[in-house]
Amino acid sequence: MSKNNGKGAKGEFEFPQPAKKQTLSEMIYDPAEGTFFGRTGKSWSQLLMFYTIFYIVLAALFTICMQGLLSTISDTEPKWKLHESLIGTNPGLGFRPLSEQTERGSVIEFGGKKYQESDYWISLIDDFLRGKPLIINCYLLHIIPICLMLFSDYNHTEGREMKHCSFGQQNDPSDVCVVNTDLFGDCSRAKHYGYKTNQPCIFLKLNKIFGWEPEVYDTPQPGMPDDLKNFINATKPEERKQIWVSCNGHLSKDKENFQNIQYFPTQGFPTYYYPFLNQPGYLSPLVAVQFNSPPIGQMLDIECQAWAKNIIYSGSARDRMGSVTFQIIVN
């Protein structure tokens, strides 16, 4: 086919020819073109060199960025603390036992004769007091990785760098005070934390905030329940350096069932456990609360509150602060 191109010359159009079919062996190596997978040896070497340099530069930039970031981070304390941190300065109050089964929520339901239910809550408290192993440092010894592990175990403190602290004693901020589980009275493991006798025990603890120090109330305050006011008045002045706790009925119908409650070892968290500075082996102080006569077959809605000048309280269901709620049902 020909056509005049306007200058008296003739041009010819050629239709593109279909690509030559290749066998599998020719796709891998084409002896006519001298290519492997469609590229010559020179082309492959240039491509390999480019990506080698590219990833070396990329790895170098990543290393520089990580080293810059890690140089601003401490192994022992957070960079942003207290008011500068997202956690803030208002510690939350928590309780145990707390089921991992989400459908149970914050309800503790059991019966003295239903041994499986009682044993379930007892085992949860055992696990909580036993704690979990935490890896605090790793290093190489003759090419073998060695990791130092720390156990947050309340039951076994032998051989650990801890001291028995008391009021009026001078303590260094780096000291780790023992949480003596022998002082839990009827809330001890030997007495099954009261779950075999329908006198359940709940363990209260404050969330840890690095560097936070409590500002305590030395005298009873308006709004405190009468039992807490009486306890503070009966406490020696030198032993009033505590974050007080109180538990009462969350709803008005529940308040009449709070006539026989005991707190072990005392009705507060002593201040010599603070501040928390990420000390190795640190244990948060605990308060065991025993409900000696909960109603049978009725849900008891409970609110426990922490009392200190720098603990803000809010009973809002959405933005609860300084307190915790849970429910107990004894069948």
Side-chain angles (χ1 to χ4, degrees):
M1 180 182 295
S2 64
K3 183 179 179 181
N4 194 326
N5 61 5
K7 296 183 180 180
K10 293 183 178 180
E12 293 185 357
F13 291 107
E14 294 184 0
F15 291 100
Q17 299 297 319
K20 179 184 177 182
K21 293 183 179 180
Q22 292 181 314
T23 62
L24 178 60
S25 60
E26 290 177 332
M27 292 177 63
I28 298 174
Y29 174 68
D30 188 350
E33 300 290 336
T35 59
F36 292 89
F37 293 103
R39 289 180 177 274
T40 62
K42 180 180 179 181
S43 176
W44 277 114
S45 61
Q46 290 174 339
L47 185 66
L48 182 62
M49 181 177 295
F50 169 79
Y51 278 105
T52 300
I53 296 174
F54 173 77
Y55 283 113
I56 289 175
V57 173
L58 191 64
L61 291 175
F62 177 77
T63 302
I64 293 172
C65 291
M66 287 300 297
Q67 288 295 329
L69 174 63
L70 294 175
S71 65
T72 65
I73 299 176
S74 171
D75 293 333
T76 57
E77 63 180 71
K79 181 177 181 179
W80 309 110
K81 299 182 282 289
L82 300 175
H83 294 285
E84 298 177 342
S85 68
L86 292 176
I87 297 176
T89 59
N90 201 55
L93 186 65
F95 77 95
R96 295 293 186 277
L98 182 63
S99 176
E100 295 179 353
Q101 301 173 11
T102 55
E103 63 272 14
R104 290 180 181 262
S106 58
V107 178
I108 300 173
E109 184 177 3
F110 70 101
K113 295 182 180 180
K114 294 183 178 180
Y115 299 111
Q116 289 184 346
E117 281 295 305
S118 299
D119 291 340
Y120 171 72
W121 297 108
I122 292 171
S123 66
L124 287 181
I125 298 178
D126 283 340
D127 292 341
F128 166 65
L129 295 178
R130 187 181 303 116
K132 298 179 179 179
L134 302 174
I135 296 177
I136 60 172
N137 189 24
C138 292
Y139 59 93
L140 291 177
L141 179 63
H142 303 298
I143 316 180
I144 300 175
I146 303 295
C147 290
L148 300 178
M149 303 190 71
L150 179 67
F151 290 82
S152 56
D153 190 346
Y154 286 90
N155 294 322
H156 303 94
T157 58
E158 303 84 357
R160 295 159 66 177
E161 295 184 3
M162 307 179 76
K163 63 182 293 186
H164 290 270
C165 304
S166 62
F167 295 102
Q169 181 183 25
Q170 292 294 330
N171 297 309
D172 189 88
S174 61
D175 290 338
V176 178
C177 296
V178 173
V179 178
N180 192 351
T181 57
D182 294 334
L183 301 178
F184 285 157
D186 291 338
C187 290
S188 65
R189 178 66 180 86
K191 296 191 176 182
H192 309 289
Y193 313 112
Y195 283 86
K196 296 291 187 180
T197 57
N198 290 350
Q199 297 174 312
C201 292
I202 305 297
F203 291 83
L204 301 177
K205 64 185 292 290
L206 283 175
N207 294 341
K208 292 181 288 189
I209 297 181
F210 188 94
W212 181 80
E213 296 187 59
E215 300 173 9
V216 301
Y217 289 118
D218 295 327
T219 58
Q221 299 297 310
M224 286 183 174
D226 292 337
D227 65 320
L228 178 56
K229 291 180 180 179
N230 295 334
F231 182 82
I232 295 175
N233 288 328
T235 303
K236 297 177 182 179
E238 63 272 15
E239 296 181 1
R240 295 184 182 182
K241 295 181 179 181
Q242 300 186 52
I243 306 168
W244 308 109
V245 295
S246 63
C247 294
N248 211 328
H250 188 208
L251 304 176
S252 56
K253 67 179 180 64
D254 298 310
K255 295 184 185 298
E256 62 186 25
N257 295 307
F258 283 80
Q259 305 301 322
N260 194 5
I261 301 178
Q262 289 181 284
Y263 300 86
F264 302 99
T266 181
Q267 197 169 342
F269 304 105
T271 56
Y272 49 71
Y273 288 99
Y274 301 93
F276 166 66
L277 300 175
N278 200 25
Q279 304 96 320
Y282 177 86
L283 296 174
S284 295
L286 301 176
V287 173
V289 186
Q290 185 172 37
F291 302 90
N292 290 307
S293 54
I296 304 298
Q298 176 184 340
M299 177 179 286
L300 188 62
D301 203 338
I302 303 164
E303 179 184 39
C304 293
Q305 180 180 345
W307 298 84
K309 295 177 182 178
N310 54 346
I311 294 181
I312 301 171
Y313 169 74
S314 173
S316 170
R318 181 178 180 180
D319 300 312
R320 179 170 297 280
M321 294 187 294
S323 67
V324 66
T325 61
F326 51 90
Q327 298 76 38
I328 292 178
I329 303 176
V330 180
N331 295 314

